[in-house]
Amino acid sequence: MAGRAAEGTMRGGATTPLFRPDRLGGEESGPLYLRLQSLIRAGIAEGRLRTNDALPAERELATQLGVSRVTVRKALRGLVDEGVLRQRHGSGTYVGRPAERIRQPLSRLTSFTEDMTASGHVPGTRWLDRSAGPATAEEATLLGIAPGDAVTRLTRLRLVDGDPVAIERAIVPATAIPDPAKVGASLYDALAGAGMQPVRAVQRLAAVSLGESEARLLEAAPGSAAVAIERIAYLPDGSVVECTRSHYRGDACDFVAELSLSPHGAGTDAGPASPTTQASQG
Ligand code: 16G
């Protein structure tokens, strides 16, 4: 997705490279990392750096500008935290964040893979843990099984069009998925393949801030906003087939639920619909 290598340099007939020591300004204009940030901002404002352009590698930038890599790293980190740039592990630094937010439906029991594919995105997964073992007391309570019963643990970084948007930690009874290595791109496909497709789920959402390690994985600033989601999904016989706890980047997703009055005018979870609500809905 992040395509063009931005020389960030010769665009629009300009003949001088953007990243030159003399473009950083003098000492009177403040610390070096701030001057480098100003240079990058100016490059964006002038259209020499455009959304999705790749910046030169840290080492290259340091050489071109005659500054230390520490300075370059500090400058880039600050701009990443502001959302001016984004970084991808092992890939580099790019201009901008994708403006489009993904939509996560809250009223249908669908999988990440289905949701992203249906909205024209390319879902991806980076495995962080795929293991099996005896259930801890907490896992046993969540899954409604006995402590020590076998469970499968699947921890994944979920990507959309190559960008990380969520960390998902799923636990599944080993009766449903005995071999974690058998789970491919989609947990729900694996469950369906085992005849263990969930038919109902309860989901809880809460606002949280990202800790250091989660922020690093999600390529976000530590402390930035995220949504913590817990989904407990059930089989037709009422047994739990999945408990997944996730952290979604707060700036990447819109959670969308369709609401309607119940056909008989009676509420469900939230109690009866008020006369005002009924009147305003016509
Ligand atoms: C969604 C679910 C998650 C489920 C996953 C399966 C939320 C918040 N979570 O991400 O509980 O495990 O889909 O997706 O919606 P997969 O089949 O692509 O692995």
Side-chain angles (χ1 to χ4, degrees), residues 111-113 156 158 168 186-188 231 242 244 248:
S111 73
F112 185 87
T113 303
R156 298 176 287 174
R158 308 305 304 256
E168 295 190 326
S186 163
L187 168 60
Y188 278 20
R231 178 184 287 191
E242 169 203 12
T244 297
Y248 278 73

Side-chain angles (χ1 to χ4, degrees), residues 6-237:
E7 21 79 67
T9 51
M10 310 288 191
R11 192 193 300 290
T15 49
T16 54
L18 179 60
F19 297 116
R20 277 189 346 193
D22 62 322
R23 294 208 48 154
L24 279 178
E27 267 172 36
E28 69 289 348
S29 39
L32 264 176
Y33 81 95
L34 290 179
R35 288 189 258 152
L36 174 51
Q37 289 186 343
S38 302
L39 180 58
I40 292 171
R41 283 186 223 275
I44 293 169
E46 290 162 13
R48 298 178 70 172
L49 294 170
R50 291 189 303 206
T51 302
N52 291 335
D53 278 357
L55 292 189
E58 259 176 35
R59 181 180 305 144
E60 213 178 304
L61 266 181
T63 309
Q64 287 175 15
L65 291 162
V67 300
S68 73
R69 282 184 73 177
V70 175
T71 299
V72 171
R73 197 168 304 138
K74 189 167 177 188
L76 298 186
R77 191 69 246 167
L79 292 178
V80 168
D81 290 351
E82 287 178 37
V84 175
L85 303 176
R86 66 180 189 281
Q87 279 176 329
R88 285 216 218 144
H89 288 292
S91 159
T93 308
Y94 299 89
V95 178
R97 272 207 68 72
E100 197 189 348
R101 292 163 68 92
I102 54 169
R103 285 164 63 89
Q104 276 274 50
L106 284 181
S107 34
R108 285 196 309 277
L109 180 49
T110 48
S111 73
F112 185 87
T113 303
E114 284 176 274
D115 292 341
M116 294 311 121
T117 310
S119 52
H121 295 286
V122 179
T125 294
R126 201 160 92 214
W127 285 98
L128 303 174
D129 177 38
R130 199 169 2 180
S131 59
T136 62
E138 190 196 359
E139 289 171 338
T141 307
L142 287 166
L143 295 179
I145 57 178
D149 282 359
V151 292
T152 291
R153 302 185 185 92
L154 308 163
T155 304
R156 298 176 287 174
L157 184 66
R158 308 305 304 256
L159 313 167
V160 176
D161 302 328
D163 288 320
V165 296
I167 302 164
E168 295 190 326
R169 297 179 181 86
I171 18 168
V172 175
T175 44
I177 307 269
D179 180 1
K182 291 272 155 60
V183 180
S186 163
L187 168 60
Y188 278 20
D189 281 355
L191 288 172
M196 297 271 192
Q197 196 165 18
V199 292
R200 187 174 80 81
V202 175
Q203 200 158 289
R204 288 190 173 77
L205 285 78
V208 292
S209 8
L210 291 173
E212 285 276 348
S213 60
E214 289 152 343
R216 198 170 320 114
L217 286 167
L218 291 171
E219 297 175 14
S224 60
V227 183
I229 308 179
E230 180 186 85
R231 178 184 287 191
I232 301 205
Y234 300 86
L235 292 173
D237 68 2

